[in-house]
Amino acid sequence: MTTPDGRNDFDFVFGAWEVSHRRLVDMLDPECDVWETFSGTSRAEPVLDGIGNVDRLWVPATPGGPPLEGFTLRLFEPDAGTWRIWWSSTTRPGRLDPPVEGRFVDGVGRFDTEDVIDGVAIGVRFGWRDTATPCPRWDQQFSFDGGRTWRTTWTMDHTRSAA
């Protein structure tokens, strides 16, 4: 059953996906304008009686680099109508990033936090759009100036997989 409080906002992501990635080569350099592209797969499923979900991402090879495996945990807090999203990957073993927090408004998800990566203090924003289409898009943005401006550092275009 769908409820209006937001707990079903991520239901669109359940299942298997082919994922097309576009990522800045050096996401921590605000001047970098060199992009790399690569492909992978992901699979998402609900947990905790639907109040959360998990997904796993697999990339067999990144350009000039090793394979990538990532893990996302999303948990919904009904009283606040807020999602928290944690990320971990093989690119930084043993680290669970601080959660981005937010919600969907008019079909667009926005989730923010502050982080320090390799000594660089940044704002981090995850976004979801086109979730009612066959090809939802996730993007990541960084702010190097306290949130005054945001720069896209990574996008993932999802296409439903038959797997």
Side-chain angles (χ1 to χ4, degrees):
M1 171 173 76
T2 300
T3 61
D5 66 0
R7 72 182 67 212
N8 299 106
D9 286 343
F10 277 103
D11 287 4
F12 72 90
V13 80
F14 299 154
W17 299 90
E18 300 293 327
V19 184
S20 296
H21 298 260
R22 183 173 182 260
R23 178 176 74 179
L24 281 173
V25 170
D26 186 351
M27 293 186 285
L28 294 178
D29 177 359
E31 304 302 318
C32 180
D33 63 0
V34 178
W35 293 87
E36 58 188 4
T37 60
F38 50 96
S39 298
T41 59
S42 71
R43 176 172 280 292
E45 62 187 60
V47 296
L48 303 175
D49 198 28
I51 207 73
N53 58 73
V54 296
D55 72 31
R56 291 182 65 195
L57 169 80
W58 298 273
V59 174
T62 57
L68 166 68
E69 182 178 349
F71 169 80
T72 306
L73 169 65
R74 301 179 191 92
L75 297 176
F76 184 72
E77 184 182 337
D79 292 342
T82 301
W83 282 94
R84 287 184 187 82
I85 305 169
W86 290 264
W87 167 255
S88 185
S89 75
T90 54
T91 59
R92 292 189 298 163
R95 178 180 160 99
L96 184 63
D97 289 349
V100 293
E101 296 186 24
R103 62 180 45 92
F104 281 83
V105 176
D106 297 327
V108 176
R110 182 176 139 185
F111 310 89
D112 297 297
T113 198
E114 299 292 321
D115 199 358
V116 176
I117 300 174
D118 296 339
V120 179
I122 57 171
V124 178
R125 176 173 289 165
F126 288 178
W128 278 99
R129 60 191 47 36
D130 302 327
T131 60
T133 74
C135 299
R137 171 175 271 197
W138 172 90
D139 64 61
Q140 174 180 270
Q141 297 180 351
F142 285 173
S143 176
F144 298 93
D145 60 11
R148 289 187 302 278
T149 61
W150 292 89
R151 180 156 198 244
T152 300
T153 59
W154 193 344
T155 65
M156 292 186 211
D157 291 315
H158 293 69
T159 305
R160 187 70 65 186
S161 172

